[in-house]
Amino acid sequence: MVTANAQEVVTDTVKNVVENDSIVFNMQMEEIVISNLKDTISKAERKRLYILRRRVLKVYPYAKIAAERLTRLNATMAKLKTKREKKKYSKIVEKYLEDEFEAQLKKLSRKDGQILVKLIHRQTGETTFDLIKEYKSGWKAFWSSRIAKMFDINLKTEYSPATVPEDYLIEGFLLKAFREHRLPAQDPAFPIDYPAITAQWREKE
């Protein structure tokens, strides 16, 4: 049975999470300069890269907080002893995620959503599909299956800068944004040796 004190502790934990989180939903996008590109690159390609980088800056904060949520969720679940306590905490998380994020996620385009799926894998080490499967209620709220189906987004997509050209570009955009303090840095859940990957791509070219 969940005691009154236990319920208060769980609720306060979630409240503190809410108070300490900060995501800028209306980001002011300043002019982006694509560097390290050949002079012969076409205008259309420059536009494509500009749009990709803009999307990365837009959705990364969601992926970052997803990783933070997973860490806190696991830590709190480990402290709870009964299924009833865990179920109650899961409901609290679900309600918060619905109120805080679902409306914002619905505003994302299909391409925004697919990049978000990749970045969630980068930050958590798990695909969005696996997260929903493992944490049914809370993660279903964070990434509604209705939204994914609406935009035909593959929730099983992984992030692989070493093998996927777009992912390599995304990683470069992220690292540059971290250096320039445009985005708050957060290490990936798995090792990404960007210099080594860059050397591999150059060899392929």
Side-chain angles (χ1 to χ4, degrees), residues 139-195:
W139 284 91
K140 185 176 181 181
F142 186 89
W143 186 267
S144 172
S145 58
R146 301 192 307 273
I147 300 172
K149 186 175 181 180
M150 183 187 306
F151 293 108
D152 191 28
I153 295 173
N154 183 2
L155 300 181
K156 297 181 180 180
T157 300
E158 297 183 355
Y159 183 69
S160 180
T163 60
V164 180
E166 181 180 80
D167 294 0
Y168 170 68
L169 291 172
I170 290 173
E171 187 65 21
F173 291 151
L174 283 177
L175 295 179
K176 189 171 188 293
F178 294 160
R179 290 194 301 269
E180 296 175 349
H181 304 290
R182 292 185 180 182
L183 292 176
Q186 185 185 66
D187 292 334
F190 48 86
I192 299 177
D193 190 339
Y194 186 73

Side-chain angles (χ1 to χ4, degrees), residues 117-151:
V117 167
K118 290 183 177 185
L119 292 182
I120 286 177
H121 180 253
R122 180 189 190 272
Q123 301 310 128
T124 67
E126 298 186 63
T127 66
T128 305
F129 176 84
D130 288 337
L131 287 171
I132 293 174
K133 184 177 179 181
E134 187 173 356
Y135 304 98
K136 291 181 181 178
S137 58
W139 284 91
K140 185 176 181 181
F142 186 89
W143 186 267
S144 172
S145 58
R146 301 192 307 273
I147 300 172
K149 186 175 181 180
M150 183 187 306
F151 293 108

